Amino acid sequence: MVACCNRRESEEPMVTRTRFDDSACPVARSVDAIGDWWSLLIVRDAFDGSRRFGEFQRSLGVAKNILSARLRTLVAGGVLESVPASDGSAYREYVLTPKGEALFPVIVALRQWGEQNFFEPGEPHSELVDRHQGHPLRALEVLSADGRRLNPGDTTVHKVSDE
């Protein structure tokens, strides 16, 4: 693979963060939008049914100020939407947008990669299963347009022009 990241610095209070939101690389732009661990764990919890601030906070054990900042960023980036609470209370809920739901294969890939690389055989862990069949998901694969399984050496990065 070819490196394709253009970086620029952006100032935040007391912290300088490298920004990739104008990079020509889709991986860099994606990491810019959802690349920190709290954001990915919030998205994971949203897929698992969490909707309220307190639910995310209890599940993650993250400080409230950090959770607030990550939720604001995910809403601003169009990954989550803040909506009135479904029970009619004064609270707000966070729901995945279509952009957020499109992260499902990313979360599945991270889960499967973690299961393969960070657990010893027989070590207890959670497992994602098909709700209708009750079976674990098949491992994700990268396939060519004609259905062949691809490995990193089978791919190359090409720039797409506006023309």
Side-chain angles (χ1 to χ4, degrees):
M1 287 181 62
V2 180
C4 58
C5 299
N6 305 338
R7 292 186 261 169
R8 70 182 170 85
E9 302 293 321
S10 120
E11 291 290 306
E12 293 182 19
M14 306 288 286
V15 174
T16 300
R17 178 176 176 258
T18 301
R19 302 285 311 199
F20 296 103
D21 54 347
D22 63 350
S23 173
C25 175
V27 173
R29 286 191 185 195
S30 298
V31 168
D32 195 56
I34 49 96
D36 75 85
W37 61 84
W38 291 123
S39 295
L40 285 170
L41 293 174
I42 291 166
V43 170
R44 176 209 59 193
D45 281 4
F47 278 118
D48 289 344
S50 293
R51 295 174 61 98
R52 292 197 176 179
F53 185 93
E55 293 171 339
F56 290 112
Q57 209 276 325
R58 277 188 299 281
S59 171
L60 299 171
V62 61
K64 291 178 180 182
N65 64 322
I66 293 172
L67 179 58
S68 292
R70 295 311 183 277
L71 287 168
R72 274 193 308 275
T73 299
L74 290 167
V75 168
V79 174
L80 293 175
E81 181 180 11
S82 176
V83 299
S86 56
D87 64 3
S89 67
Y91 294 104
R92 303 288 294 173
E93 294 181 344
Y94 297 92
V95 296
L96 291 161
T97 64
K99 184 191 267 189
E101 288 179 351
L103 285 166
F104 183 66
V106 175
I107 298 297
V108 171
L110 283 170
R111 171 179 281 284
Q112 290 180 347
W113 181 70
E115 289 170 353
Q116 292 172 350
N117 293 285
F118 297 105
F119 289 88
E120 297 297 323
E123 183 180 356
H125 62 278
S126 63
E127 182 175 65
L128 189 62
V129 298
D130 179 329
R131 185 182 305 271
H132 298 289
Q133 300 292 325
H135 300 294
L137 303 185
R138 186 171 70 179
L140 290 179
E141 296 179 317
V142 177
L143 304 176
S144 69
D146 64 8
R148 290 176 296 113
R149 183 173 183 218
L150 299 176
N151 292 308
D154 299 322
T155 65
T156 186
V157 174
H158 287 169
K159 298 291 182 186
V160 177
S161 65
D162 292 345
E163 300 168 21

